[in-house]
């Protein structure tokens, strides 16, 4: 049976109490609307602060809460380490990256918590940064990255042998990062050449918004990942901004100070990449012309056109029906509050439930 949830990084808060409060005030409302008579999987964002606050008593309390409300932990978002809402994040969201011991310690702790917190899932994923932000990353960094990843994978293997629960690390390719395109992701796994006994414990978190921004084709991407034997540990169901021709000028109403909004623009010579919307705006001011542009800005997946421009909803329609039903799906529109006012007409819980219903309808469920 397909497992579908939403990621709690939609809600602000870095502490464990914030996680619990968000489940009470939002998560249960979403469950009532989407899964009133069946178990509901949870996709939790557990920040560094929350991870160190969890003790045996809090773990027991959470497990009891899950049993009471017919929920269970399915996946953890271990990508943002610290603050993720209400103040500028931009490229700092990738820090600490996989060159640091802090990322190793944090990820191991999340793995331990995954095993302790889940009540029903025999397999759990932890999504994480795509190695590092591309700017400033050097060829000489690769050996340290490999050592750190193998350290974590060995930990996951030991957890599996001890608990019977498979925890998979899911690297999440993203524009302007070391792992950006599917081609780079495949090359990464070939470069790392992980020991055979550890390969079970690593895969990718496929964020549909990110790969649509890269102008990738759904069927082609899946074919290539399968041929390279790369596991999709989970799919984040998300949609990006898309503008063609004169619509491109309308993209700048979505410029805001919190998140990085990478853009990829197409012209006859090929694709041009920009780390944020102001860079694209500067290129246009200098006279550059593009036929189409896509922007990393998570917009509601049930919308195919926003009025000023359209979205990459078409990618979801192409991609999701091709997936094996065993791959968990996690809706991740974390930027609702950063949308222009006319796109925030509904309460957040209603919008999240609407997204989940849209996926179910698409997949005939």
């Amino acid at each position: 049976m397909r497992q579908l949830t939403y990621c709690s990084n939609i809600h602000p808060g870095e502490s464990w109490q914030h996680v619990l409060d968000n489940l009470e005030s939002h998560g249960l409302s979403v469950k009532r609307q989407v899964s009133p008579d069946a178990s509901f999987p949870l996709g939790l964002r557990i920040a560094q602060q929350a991870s160190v606050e969890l003790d045996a008593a809090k773990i027991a309390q959470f497990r009891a809460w899950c049993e009471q409300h017919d929920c269970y932990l399915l996946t953890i978002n271990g990508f943002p380490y610290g603050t993720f809402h209400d103040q500028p994040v931009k490229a700092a969201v990738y820090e600490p990256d996989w060159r640091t011991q802090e990322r190793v310690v944090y990820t191991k702790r999340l793995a331990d918590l995954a095993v302790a917190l889940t009540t029903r899932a025999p397999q759990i994923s932890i999504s994480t940064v795509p190695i590092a932000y591309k700017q400033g990353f050097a060829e000489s960094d690769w050996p340290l990255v490999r050592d750190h990843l193998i350290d974590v994978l060995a930990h996951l293997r030991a957890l599996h042998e001890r608990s019977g629960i498979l925890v998979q690390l899911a690297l999440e390719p993203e524009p302007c990062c070391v792992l950006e395109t599917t081609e780079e992701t495949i090359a990464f796994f070939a470069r790392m050449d992980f020991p055979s006994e550890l390969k079970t414990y690593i895969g990718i978190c496929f964020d549909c918004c990110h790969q649509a921004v890269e102008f990738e084709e759904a069927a082609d991407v899946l074919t290539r990942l399968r041929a390279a034997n790369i596991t999709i540990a989970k799919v984040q169901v998300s949609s990006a901004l898309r503008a063609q021709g004169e619509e491109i000028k309308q993209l700048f109403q979505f410029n805001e100070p919190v998140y990085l909004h990478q853009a990829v623009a197409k012209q006859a010579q090929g694709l041009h990449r920009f780390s944020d919307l102001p860079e694209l705006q500067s290129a246009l001011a200098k006279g550059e012309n593009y036929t189409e542009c896509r922007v990393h800005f998570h917009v509601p997946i049930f919308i195919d056109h926003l009025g000023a421009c359209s979205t990459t909803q078409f990618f979801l329609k192409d991609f999701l029906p091709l997936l094996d039903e065993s791959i968990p799906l996690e809706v991740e529109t974390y930027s609702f509050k950063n949308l222009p006012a006319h796109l925030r007409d509904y309460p957040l819980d209603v919008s999240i439930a609407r997204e989940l219903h849209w996926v179910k309808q698409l997949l005939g469920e």
Side-chain angles (χ1 to χ4, degrees), residues 296-308:
H296 178 212
F297 192 121
H298 289 222
V299 293
I301 63 174
F302 49 76
I303 297 176
D304 64 353
H305 205 284
L306 300 163

Side-chain angles (χ1 to χ4, degrees), residues 18 64 78 243:
H18 281 132

Side-chain angles (χ1 to χ4, degrees), residues 6-15 18-19 22 43-50 77-95 103 106 127-130 172 174 207 209-210 236 238 256-262 296-298 330-338:
Y6 82 96
C7 184
S8 71
N9 68 347
I10 290 172
H11 313 302
E14 317 307 318
S15 71
H18 281 132
V19 174
N22 287 328
L44 295 187
R45 187 232 160 175
I46 302 179
Q48 157 69 4
Q49 179 184 338
N77 187 329
F79 193 132
Y81 184 89
T83 301
F84 190 59
H85 286 278
D86 301 327
Q87 66 185 56
V89 178
K90 298 296 183 180
V93 73
Y94 311 110
E95 300 171 358
R103 178 61 64 174
Y106 170 55
S127 51
T128 188
V129 296
E172 184 180 331
E174 182 170 317
D207 190 308
C209 167
H210 299 170
Q236 286 186 326
S238 53
E256 54 82 37
V258 176
Y259 303 113
L260 203 59
H261 298 298
Q262 304 95 315
H296 178 212
F297 192 121
H298 289 222
E330 181 184 46
V331 169
E332 199 215 13
T333 308
Y334 58 77
S335 51
F336 271 107
K337 67 185 297 182
N338 302 94

